[in-house]
Amino acid sequence: PRVSPHTLVQHRAELLPLYARAATRARLPRERAAALAQMLSCVKRPGSEQRRAVAETCASIGASMGEERCAAELMTSIAKNCAEHKAEERRLLGVECLVACAGVSGRCAGMVLEELTRIAAVEASATVRVAIVRAVASTLDATDDGANLSLENRALRDSDRTSSSPESPNDDHTRDRSDPSSIGPSPAVADDALMSLALDSSDEVSNAAIERLAPALARWRRRLARRGVHSAGGAGGDAVPKFAAALEGALGEISRGGEDARWRVGTLSRALEALAIGGDDASTGDASPGDASPGDEFAWVARCAAATARSEEGCVAAVARAIRAHCERAGPAISSRLILPAILAATGTRPRGDESAGL
């Protein structure tokens, strides 16, 4: 604390190892909290390189602290000292430091996603919200590549210990096998994050969510489905039903007028298209992900086709692109046997004057 005020701002990154040691080794909680607070505020408006250095230090501190202390001390300090700071650069620092904490464990990744979603809901700066989009996508990718795999590896190591020592009910490895939150972020929270960011009032944020976050969410959900992990609502490995229901609702609102509904149709259609092509197994022929039957999985296609008015050319084109992407993902057999007959049944039997008959 005595050294930092007398150190030039451009050289304060050199003090980060000292802050890290104090934050992890100090005996009293208030001393550790003070070290973390001063580390996060040592530069009032940190630049990109300074934010990167602090975030890397947070990742090192979180790994040394472990899951419980990382959540209780480090993430709490980040939220307190950065999340609602008046300087945009400090709020950006908070976002980057939270992402660094996601690699500690699957449970921490889930807490990071919830905190990022909360910050996005109240953040006024589009620049920070775009950073949150990238952060959420990075959190999901990190959960794929690190947290879930580390849980599997730790479970294998822990199985070797059972022969020599009894397990305590409070052991971390026992909790990881029994607690669903140990697999990482909640699929429902991740879906809600994409929905709110894709429908953001800023085009920059909305485009970033569709182009970066939607593919990351699709990959993560499908990898969870392959591991046999499903959301509590039974949605399996697919985020499509939530977005399809929102699209169907927006299509229904167009008949009552309103440019906002047209914008939401275009945005949700783009999100559905990105969810179809974003996964790493998007071209798997006729394989159908998740536990739902193909007929149930693609029932939304016929409903949205029936709700699309022919006179709304922009909406027709947007919905058609989304449908085409999901047909390509389903493969020719499912498309010709299930999807196409459902579309014809929903639209072809309408009276000639019905605008949806020509979709």
Side-chain angles (χ1 to χ4, degrees):
R2 299 192 185 100
V3 174
S4 181
H6 303 287
T7 304
L8 294 176
V9 172
Q10 58 267 35
H11 293 298
R12 288 183 183 176
E14 299 174 12
L15 301 177
L16 292 176
L18 301 179
Y19 285 125
R21 186 174 181 86
T24 54
R25 300 292 183 87
R27 291 172 49 190
L28 298 178
R30 66 173 181 273
E31 294 176 349
R32 299 196 296 267
L36 289 171
Q38 190 170 21
M39 179 188 73
L40 295 168
S41 61
C42 64
V43 180
K44 185 176 181 179
R45 296 177 179 271
S48 59
E49 287 299 316
Q50 291 167 324
R51 294 197 300 269
R52 181 189 58 79
V54 175
E56 290 177 352
T57 303
C58 285
S60 175
I61 292 173
S64 299
M65 284 182 165
E67 178 183 290
E68 299 297 335
R69 284 182 57 196
C70 177
E73 298 181 18
L74 179 56
M75 291 177 59
T76 299
S77 184
I78 293 171
K80 180 179 179 181
N81 293 282
C82 297
E84 298 180 3
H85 198 275
K86 63 180 180 179
E88 182 179 277
E89 294 85 351
R90 283 281 290 277
R91 300 199 301 275
L92 288 170
L93 174 64
V95 171
E96 295 181 23
C97 290
L98 283 173
V99 176
C101 296
V104 174
S105 69
R107 187 175 290 102
C108 284
M111 297 175 65
V112 166
L113 180 59
E114 292 177 0
E115 181 65 13
L116 290 173
T117 303
R118 184 196 67 79
I119 295 173
V122 300
E123 176 57 55
S125 169
T127 301
V128 178
R129 296 201 302 276
V130 170
I132 290 173
V133 169
R134 295 194 296 265
V136 173
S138 298
T139 298
L140 296 178
D141 287 337
T143 304
D144 270 343
D145 299 332
N148 285 333
L149 294 178
S150 66
L151 287 170
E152 295 172 3
N153 294 334
R154 181 165 52 181
L156 292 175
R157 293 195 304 268
D158 292 338
S159 64
D160 296 334
R161 302 178 188 171
T162 57
S163 59
S164 58
S165 62
E167 290 184 338
S168 167
N170 294 323
D171 283 347
D172 285 343
H173 54 274
T174 304
R175 185 175 64 250
D176 285 335
R177 287 194 294 268
S178 60
D179 188 350
S181 66
S182 64
I183 58 94
S186 163
V189 174
D191 294 348
D192 290 341
L194 174 59
M195 178 72 77
S196 63
L197 291 167
L199 296 177
D200 193 276
S201 58
S202 166
D203 288 341
E204 184 182 7
V205 178
S206 177
N207 291 334
I210 293 173
E211 295 169 5
R212 175 76 186 273
L213 179 53
L217 176 62
R219 291 191 299 268
W220 178 67
R221 291 293 298 258
R222 291 172 195 171
R223 291 177 186 177
L224 286 185
R226 285 202 297 267
R227 294 189 182 111
V229 178
H230 302 287
S231 62
D238 209 340
V240 169
K242 183 181 184 68
F243 289 84
L247 174 60
E248 188 178 356
L251 288 168
E253 292 181 21
I254 288 181
S255 61
R256 299 189 291 273
E259 287 299 319
D260 181 67
R262 292 182 177 87
W263 176 80
R264 282 189 287 124
V265 166
T267 301
L268 290 167
S269 296
R270 290 175 58 211
L272 282 167
E273 184 179 2
L275 287 170
I277 65 178
D280 55 5
D281 58 349
S283 301
T284 54
D286 295 328
S288 178
D291 291 337
S293 65
D296 295 336
E297 182 182 357
F298 296 103
W300 67 271
V301 172
R303 295 196 302 270
C304 290
T308 306
R310 182 172 52 189
S311 61
E312 299 287 345
E313 295 181 0
C315 294
V316 170
V319 174
R321 286 193 296 269
I323 291 176
R324 177 173 183 171
H326 283 271
C327 286
E328 291 176 348
R329 175 186 163 203
I334 291 178
S335 295
S336 60
R337 178 166 51 89
L338 295 175
I339 300 178
L340 181 57
I343 293 177
L344 294 176
T347 62
T349 59
R350 299 293 185 90
R352 181 174 294 274
D354 191 316
E355 284 195 333
S356 67
L359 177 64

